[in-house]
Amino acid sequence: MQDDAAARDDAAEGTPAGGGDAARPGGTDAARPGGAEAAARRAEAVRRDEAEEASAFSHSPVDPDVSVAYGDHPDQVIDFYAPREPDPAVLAPLVVVLHGGAWRAPYDRRHITPFADFLARRGFAVANVEYRRGASIPAQGGDGPVAGRWPDTFDDVAAALDALPALVRERLPQADPRRIVVTGHSAGGHLALWASGRHLLPADAPWYTDRPAPLRGVVALAPIADFQVAEKLDVCGGAARQLLGGEDRFADRLPYADPAHLLPTGIATTLVQGRTDLVVPQAVAESYADAAAKAGEVIGLTLLEDVGHFPLIDPSADACAVVAEEIAQLAW
């Protein structure tokens, strides 16, 4: 993804986009003591990240068993994958998948279908949710599409989760709607965490619920989990800021959108994070975990050595098997 390529370059520099001595003439690391070694490490980190992304996107998309609309917009659709070898005596847990892509229009649910199929082959029923994303117009201060659509992105995720139990009973009878785990990658990890905290939203939020969602748990994969930290690090080119409508509305909308403001959820939650992630750095997940602890909630934080952003959803990567196990621990 182009946005991720830019993010990896900035993260490898160790500074937000546009900042740091490396961005200034005469200030490159190569001119400092040990600079050549640091530059070599950065180059290797970028090379590894590019290889991981290429591997994750090398798999052919997998068509669902059935697709169901949960609204009138073309993006308001859920793809269902039945468990590949179901036990006829036991209903399969349902894993709800929310894809990433910085909430931007070019990145739809198709890129995560191999991961959905991987979970179905592991015995889960899967619901791969599409939602409205940013329009394909120049972003504020950038060349790419805007991240997200306020409030449409949140409208869709809330509507999809609310509609799922009835849709599952009707169209995916192999699944148990009483055992739902929500997972999401990157921007989708944010949405998974947000969906589990709707009962903690301000009372005037249109997505507010008066009780916690009936979930067995949440497994968030390299999530954009703390918007203020993500903003400081310029994650995905300021995607969180764009999602909330720009700098002027960022602070006012944080309580309605930022998972770090929606704690404690009372729902079992695990974050899975690669230590060498250049797209959504480890610091973002750690900040959310710290916020949860301060709110009196213990969440799981699984840190994977020598793993970047994309192996978490790559069926050929060992990290993906770790993700499936984390889901299984909550689902069963």
Side-chain angles (χ1 to χ4, degrees):
M1 296 182 181
Q2 292 180 345
D3 298 306
D4 296 328
R8 76 165 67 91
D9 291 338
D10 296 327
E13 289 289 340
T15 60
D21 290 339
R24 296 197 294 269
T28 61
D29 284 327
R32 301 172 182 156
E37 182 179 348
R41 286 198 303 269
R42 286 199 306 276
E44 172 59 22
V46 170
R47 184 204 63 76
R48 182 173 57 232
D49 186 77
E50 290 173 342
E52 289 175 341
E53 180 178 0
S55 176
F57 285 84
S58 67
H59 307 282
S60 299
V62 180
D63 291 333
D65 295 303
V66 63
S67 295
V68 181
Y70 64 89
D72 296 331
H73 192 277
D75 285 335
Q76 293 174 322
V77 63
I78 302 172
D79 291 340
F80 286 133
Y81 295 78
R84 295 300 179 239
E85 295 182 4
D87 182 342
V90 180
L91 293 179
L94 177 68
V95 181
V96 180
V97 174
L98 295 164
H99 70 81
W103 310 284
R104 290 181 171 131
Y107 314 122
D108 63 17
R109 71 192 186 282
R110 291 289 286 173
H111 78 266
I112 209 168
T113 60
F115 174 70
D117 177 68
F118 173 83
L119 294 177
R121 288 186 279 111
R122 289 290 185 117
F124 299 106
V126 181
N128 187 17
V129 177
E130 190 59 276
Y131 52 88
R132 283 173 286 181
R133 304 168 309 286
S136 297
I137 59 177
Q140 300 168 2
D143 297 325
V146 173
R149 291 171 59 171
W150 181 279
D152 301 349
T153 299
F154 297 94
D155 288 345
D156 289 357
V157 172
L161 269 292
D162 291 346
L164 257 178
L167 293 177
V168 165
R169 291 186 182 95
E170 179 183 347
R171 305 302 297 273
L172 194 62
Q174 304 94 326
D176 186 350
R178 299 167 301 175
R179 286 189 292 164
I180 297 176
V181 174
V182 180
T183 190
H185 179 240
S186 196
H190 155 263
L191 294 171
L193 295 171
W194 176 84
S196 72
R198 289 169 58 196
H199 58 294
L200 300 173
L201 287 168
D204 64 342
W207 318 291
Y208 170 78
T209 59
D210 61 2
R211 65 193 67 185
L215 304 176
R216 292 294 296 267
V218 174
V219 179
L221 315 177
I224 305 178
D226 185 318
F227 276 13
Q228 290 175 297
V229 173
E231 177 67 3
K232 289 177 183 177
L233 297 176
D234 197 36
V235 169
C236 296
R241 180 178 67 254
Q242 294 173 18
L243 175 67
L244 301 196
E247 185 173 351
D248 292 344
R249 296 181 175 180
F250 184 75
D252 291 341
R253 288 178 172 173
L254 277 177
Y256 297 84
D258 184 7
H261 281 68
L262 305 177
L263 291 164
T265 67
I267 294 172
T269 300
T270 296
L271 310 187
V272 184
Q273 175 74 43
R275 285 189 178 273
T276 57
D277 193 328
L278 300 183
V279 179
V280 183
Q282 178 179 327
V284 181
E286 290 180 329
S287 180
Y288 178 85
D290 289 345
K294 291 176 182 176
E297 186 163 65
V298 178
I299 67 169
L301 176 57
T302 299
L303 298 174
L304 303 181
E305 297 290 343
D306 299 320
V307 170
H309 193 63
F310 294 99
L312 303 178
I313 59 167
D314 180 356
S316 65
D318 291 342
C320 200
V322 174
V323 169
E325 180 57 32
E326 295 286 1
I327 292 171
Q329 289 184 21
L330 297 179
W332 293 103

